[in-house]
């Protein structure tokens, strides 16, 4: 067999190497490439031969080994047989064990299958349980939203709803419950919005109910500020130049902090949390514009509820007006605080519109009922409440222009009421006066009268003896008191806001003028129709003091004017009217005195044809001088010296003229005769109302001749009158008799030709009219 294969053949070596492999897998792994090579090279036969050769060699080896070890082989075979027997038994056992294992494996497979099935069910259960838990969490959050709504935690409910919608619903989005809850979210949002609006409406109702008290607290705060400002002004005069609500006053008052909306002292707590919560929730819901519009409409409706349909201004304590103003103030303060505590929520134009509307409604209410107020004191209280309201709201930044106009309306009404009241007082004072010099019993009474009257005494108070009399009658100090009261009452209308404006100045001047002119001056002028010179003299004296008072008032009004830059002098028409009334009164005295002189001269009885001269003055001349002396020392004693001298001057001039010429005299005026006629007529014509002729004086046409004895009688009377005037120690008065004395001298001269010589006439008879002198010379 070895000769059949080449020793150099590589197949034999390869097969031999293959047989030496340690494992079947290596054997096969080495055999496969050899077989592939044999297949493609057509050497399969050679491979078989190589294998056979190797097999033959192995058998030869085995046979050789067996031949050399037969006994051992036999024993080995026996052992192998025993082993085989044991192997068979073991195989049987293994088969039995295999059957048992197979049975156990089938049972295990069934159990495993059951286990797998149970694991699937358990997984399904777990997944279902997880799904249920997730759904339960969603339901719990949904219920929590409603629980928070029940507890009025609206924002927390909205946050929980938002978390439910954006987080938890996405986790269970594959379940039907997510869809159901998602559909209910808008409804829940509406529930939250409705709930928060309900709370806000409750809050709005409460603050509307608390608005009056809030306004009352604001008024109290303003009053306290005004008190503190007055105290500062007393301590430092510089603060007097600053009104309330000015920058200076606000800075000075910064140390006194007072929060109207949150103050423990006044127990005011205005919590804006419901509003802020409602704003935030609607902003979160994207409904801010809708909420702003609804809130504005609600506040407009509440504003309408504040304004009543009518108001009673006659209440002494002003409760209705105070309640109205306090409610408006509280409402407006809430609005202003809302603007300050929010951003872009309340439009300023809406708040200002509400304020203007409330102001106009209030002004209309007050104006329509103002005619019912007939008391200036009550009107002053009304003004005080409105002024306090203005000061309070001005501090909160509201426009008070329309309310200032209301104050002007109130002031006009107030001044009319004052003027009416003081007009009645003045008329009563004038009508009930006794028109006698005012008696003073003691120094205290004297000081009171001097302090209230514009009167400068002639003597120092230490030099006075009591009882004494003052030149004016009682009506003058009473009127002065009323004038001062009128000034004070007018200025009472002035305060920190409505100060002494030009309106007060002008109204005061015109009203005072009207009172003094119509109720005092004209009333006194109307009484000049009296036939009693003493009463006329007292009226003239009163008019003199009233003129002085008017001059003092002009200075007082100038100093009290509102604008210090106004340098225009204050002029009262009453000053000139009292001055004119003085002239009328003095004319009336002249008229009465001259009328009496005419009455006395009427009794003159000259016998122009007498042959025997008389050395005694005539009775009428004695009565005339006695009358002039008495009236000057009694009735006219209280008149100023210049007026008395002027009356003397006029009376003597009238007497000297009437003694010579044909006089005209007026009858007594009827009390119903208007004095306007007297005021517009010259004194020289005032006697022309009713006249009659005296038939027994030198220039009378009925006197044809005058004897020297008659001239002597006339000269005696003229001399007597001249002596009386000399006793008055007033050279000016003597000049009034120049015409009478020169005329009497002309009538008694023996050289009448001197009168017709111009130079001589001017020197000796300059006061005698040429025509009258010629007539008398002829007689």
């Amino acid at each position: 067999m070895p000769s059949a294969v080449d020793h150099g053949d590589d197949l034999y070596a390869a097969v031999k190497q293959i047989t030496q492999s340690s494992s079947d897998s290596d054997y096969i792994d080495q055999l496969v490439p050899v077989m592939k090579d044999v297949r493609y090279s057509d050497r399969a036969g050679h491979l078989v031969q190589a294998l056979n050769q190797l097999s033959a060699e192995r058998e030869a080896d085995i046979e050789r080994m067996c031949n050399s070890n037969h006994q051992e082989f036999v024993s080995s075979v026996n052992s192998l047989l025993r082993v085989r027997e044991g192997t068979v038994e073991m195989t049987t056992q293994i088969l039995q064990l295999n059957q048992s294992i197979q049975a156990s494996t089938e049972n295990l497979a069934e159990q495993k299958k059951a286990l797998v099935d149970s694991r699937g069910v358990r997984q399904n259960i777990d997944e279902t349980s997880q799904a249920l838990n997730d759904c339960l969490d969603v339901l719990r959050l949904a219920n929590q939203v409603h629980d928070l709504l029940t507890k009025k935690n609206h924002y927390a409910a909205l946050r929980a709803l938002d978390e439910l919608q954006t987080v938890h619903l996405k986790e269970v989005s594959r379940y039907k419950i997510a869809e159901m809850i998602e559909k209910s979210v808008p409804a829940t949002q509406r529930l939250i919005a409705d709930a928060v609006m309900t709370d806000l409406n409750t809050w709005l109702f409460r603050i509307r109910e608390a608005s009056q008290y809030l306004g009352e607290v604001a008024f109290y705060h303003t009053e306290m500020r005004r008190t503190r400002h007055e105290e500062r002004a007393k301590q430092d005069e510089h603060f007097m130049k600053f009104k309330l609500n000015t920058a200076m006053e606000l800075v000075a008052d910064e140390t006194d902090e007072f929060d109207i909306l949150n103050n423990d002292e006044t127990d005011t707590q205005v919590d804006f949390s419901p509003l802020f919560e409602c704003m935030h929730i609607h902003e979160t819901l994207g409904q801010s514009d809708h909420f702003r519009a609804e809130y504005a409409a609600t506040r407009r409706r509440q504003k309408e509820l504040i304004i009543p349909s009518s108001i009673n201004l006659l209440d002494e304590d002003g409760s209705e007006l105070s309640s109205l103003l306090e409610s408006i103030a509280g409402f407006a303060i809430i609005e202003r605080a809302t603007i300050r505590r929010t951003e872009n929520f309340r439009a300023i134009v809406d708040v200002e519109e509400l304020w203007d509307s409330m102001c106009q409604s209030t002004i209309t209410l007050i104006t329509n009922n103002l005619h019912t107020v007939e008391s200036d004191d009550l009107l002053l209280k009304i003004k005080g409440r409105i002024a306090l309201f203005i000061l309070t709201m001005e501090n909160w930044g509201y426009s008070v222009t329309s309310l200032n106009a209301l104050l002007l309306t109130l002031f006009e009404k107030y001044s009319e009421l004052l003027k009416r009241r003081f007009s009645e007082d003045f008329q009563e004072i004038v009508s009930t006066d006794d028109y006698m010099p005012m008696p003073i019993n003691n120094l205290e009474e004297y000081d009171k009268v001097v302090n209230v009257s514009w009167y400068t005494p002639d003597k120092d108070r230490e030099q006075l003896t009591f009882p004494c009399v003052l030149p004016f009658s009682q009506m003058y100090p009473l009127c002065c008191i009323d004038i001062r009261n009128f000034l004070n009452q007018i200025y009472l209308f002035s305060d920190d806001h409505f100060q002494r404006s030009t309106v007060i100045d002008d109204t005061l001047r015109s009203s005072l003028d009207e009172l003094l002119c119509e109720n005092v001056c004209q009333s006194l002028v109307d009484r000049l129709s009296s036939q009693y010179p003493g009463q006329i003299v007292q009226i003239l004296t009163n008019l003199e003091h009233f003129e002085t008072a008017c001059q003092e008032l002009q200075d007082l009004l100038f100093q009290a004017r509102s604008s210090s830059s106004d340098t225009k002098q204050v002029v009262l028409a009453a000053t000139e009217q009292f001055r004119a009334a003085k002239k009328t009164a003095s004319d009336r005295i002249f008229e009465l005195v001259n009328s009496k002189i005419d009455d006395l001269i009427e009794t003159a009885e000259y016998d122009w044809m007498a042959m025997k001269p008389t050395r005694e003055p005539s009775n009428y001349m004695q009565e005339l001088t006695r009358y002039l002396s008495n009236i000057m020392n009694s009735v006219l004693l209280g008149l100023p010296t210049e007026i008395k001298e002027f009356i003397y001057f006029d009376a003597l001039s009238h007497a000297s003229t009437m003694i010579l010429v044909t006089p005209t005299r007026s009858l007594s005026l009827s009390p119903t005769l208007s004095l306007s006629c007297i005021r517009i007529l010259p004194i020289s014509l005032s006697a022309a109302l009713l006249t009659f002729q005296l038939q027994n004086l030198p220039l009378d046409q009925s006197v044809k001749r005058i004897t020297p004895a008659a001239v002597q009688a006339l000269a005696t009377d003229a001399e007597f009158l001249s002596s009386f005037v000399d006793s008055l120690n007033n050279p000016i008065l003597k000049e009034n008799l120049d015409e009478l004395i020169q005329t009497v001298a002309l009538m008694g001269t023996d050289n009448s030709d001197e009168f017709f010589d111009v130079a001589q006439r001017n020197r000796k008879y300059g006061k005698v009219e040429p025509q009258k002198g010629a007539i008398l010379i002829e007689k």
Side-chain angles (χ1 to χ4, degrees), residues 268-285:
T268 53
Q269 298 291 332
V270 180
D271 184 11
F272 284 85
S273 299
L275 175 62
F276 297 152
E277 183 182 24
C278 198
M279 289 173 56
H280 192 63
I281 287 177
H282 281 84
E283 183 179 359
T284 305
L285 295 175

Side-chain angles (χ1 to χ4, degrees), residues 1-20 27 30-31 34-35 38 43-61 64:
M1 288 184 74
S3 61
V5 181
D6 294 336
H7 294 283
D9 196 324
D10 57 341
L11 287 176
Y12 178 80
V15 171
K16 189 176 180 179
Q17 185 178 359
I18 290 171
T19 59
Q20 294 177 355
Y27 176 83
Q30 294 179 18
L31 181 59
V34 175
M35 292 178 69
V38 173
R43 296 171 62 190
H46 296 292
L47 176 60
V48 173
Q49 290 178 2
L51 290 173
N52 290 330
Q53 183 181 352
L54 180 60
S55 175
E57 290 178 355
R58 294 299 184 201
E59 289 179 355
D61 291 337
R64 187 173 59 253

Side-chain angles (χ1 to χ4, degrees), residues 129-143 172 177:
S129 177
Q130 183 64 37
L132 286 175
N133 289 332
D134 293 340
C135 292
L136 287 175
D137 289 339
V138 170
L139 286 176
R140 179 179 56 78
L141 287 174
N143 292 331
V172 295
I177 190 172

